[in-house]
Amino acid sequence: DEPFTRLLTQGMVLNEIFSRKSDGARVQYFNPADVELEFDEQGKRIGARLKSDGKPVESGGIRTMSKSKNNGVDPQALIDRYGADTARLFMMFASPPEDTLAWNDDGVEGAYRFLRRLWRFAHDHHALISGVGGTSDAAQRGARRELHLLLQQANFDYERKQFNTVASAAMKILNLLEDNAGPGRGALVREGMSILLRLLSPIAPHVSQALWRELGFGADIVEAAWPQLDEAALVQ
């Protein structure tokens, strides 16, 4: 994925440096993927060892990824394991675009779990999303107000290119839909999923496109209009 690869090679992403001095005082650097961290019973980090020989290595702190320090991440390996959407979502969610980003494997796993959760929700509620919704009640109107408040904030953040908070709004929308995916809530869940997929489309285009088509919203999500705020929904 070209945009992701550019981010990793333009000095915007940080990662920890591990090294060891040889007998001739020459410093050898090891990729973080080849290092195993050690923790005590309280979870406090107490050291690091090279996986291949079990011998300790020293940490040089968090620095910009570079070939010379061997602390880079192979973008193709990450894409092969998780998919390009996970890589994009992690980088958009972890930091504003103008800031540097400290690499975090747990953050990558978190982005992957969110996209799996989104896919599973769409699969499990396909009939509810694709069908005709029921009548609106007070609880549903409250949920719809929350949905459009999140959309309002996401649209504002998109204008400012604050993609990390847009990704956060998308996660909150999925939480909202999961809490409201009951009988008679089809209209709410369908509208919410339509908004969610369009918000995610610039960040996670492959998953968004696949679900957009499978849920019957249309053939191509990039041809869909951008979700617009319903001011009436915000009235209490």
Side-chain angles (χ1 to χ4, degrees):
D1 189 87
E2 185 180 350
F4 174 61
T5 304
R6 276 204 309 271
L7 283 170
L8 290 183
T9 57
Q10 289 179 347
M12 300 175 66
V13 186
L14 311 179
N15 204 2
E16 192 164 3
I17 295 173
F18 293 99
S19 64
R20 181 194 293 163
K21 287 186 178 181
S22 62
D23 294 337
R26 187 177 71 87
V27 177
Q28 184 178 4
Y29 294 96
F30 303 98
N31 192 272
D34 299 325
V35 173
E36 182 178 9
L37 302 180
E38 297 179 304
F39 301 90
D40 62 18
E41 295 179 354
Q42 287 72 42
K44 182 180 179 181
R45 181 167 152 181
I46 56 175
R49 294 182 178 275
L50 191 64
K51 293 178 182 178
S52 60
D53 61 15
K55 295 180 180 179
V57 293
E58 298 293 327
S59 171
I62 305 294
R63 298 291 186 272
T64 301
M65 286 186 183
S66 68
K67 290 184 179 180
S68 63
K69 298 296 187 292
N70 194 16
N71 68 329
V73 174
D74 179 4
Q76 191 58 53
L78 188 68
I79 291 168
D80 290 344
R81 180 176 178 183
Y82 295 106
D85 280 356
T86 292
R88 292 167 62 100
L89 177 61
F90 163 68
M91 300 198 70
M92 293 298 99
F93 178 66
S95 174
E98 69 275 9
D99 291 351
T100 54
L101 183 154
W103 189 259
N104 185 314
D105 288 341
D106 290 339
V108 178
E109 289 281 354
Y112 183 62
R113 286 195 301 270
F114 168 74
L115 291 179
R116 286 178 58 88
R117 213 175 101 219
L118 172 65
W119 190 276
R120 186 165 55 247
F121 178 85
H123 176 272
D124 292 347
H125 298 90
H126 184 280
L128 181 66
I129 298 169
S130 303
V132 179
T135 58
S136 177
D137 57 21
Q140 188 170 347
R141 287 194 297 272
R144 188 166 185 265
R145 180 175 185 273
E146 186 176 349
L147 171 65
H148 279 267
L149 284 172
L150 289 168
L151 172 60
Q152 182 182 49
Q153 183 63 50
N155 281 343
F156 177 72
D157 291 336
Y158 257 126
E159 291 292 330
R160 298 187 302 156
K161 297 182 173 58
Q162 294 294 318
F163 303 120
N164 57 318
T165 50
V166 173
S168 177
M171 294 174 182
K172 291 176 182 177
I173 290 176
L174 181 58
N175 292 339
L176 177 68
L177 299 183
E178 288 175 333
D179 292 341
N180 287 274
R185 300 294 180 89
L188 171 68
V189 177
R190 180 175 176 81
E191 180 186 19
M193 182 60 74
S194 170
I195 290 172
L196 172 56
L197 293 178
R198 283 178 286 173
L199 288 179
L200 269 181
S201 180
I203 299 174
H206 308 93
V207 168
S208 300
Q209 167 61 26
L211 291 180
W212 184 262
R213 183 181 61 249
E214 292 297 328
L215 293 172
F217 289 118
D220 197 336
I221 195 170
V222 299
E223 296 179 355
W226 191 253
Q228 298 300 312
L229 177 69
D230 183 354
E231 296 286 353
L234 302 184
V235 177
Q236 289 181 294

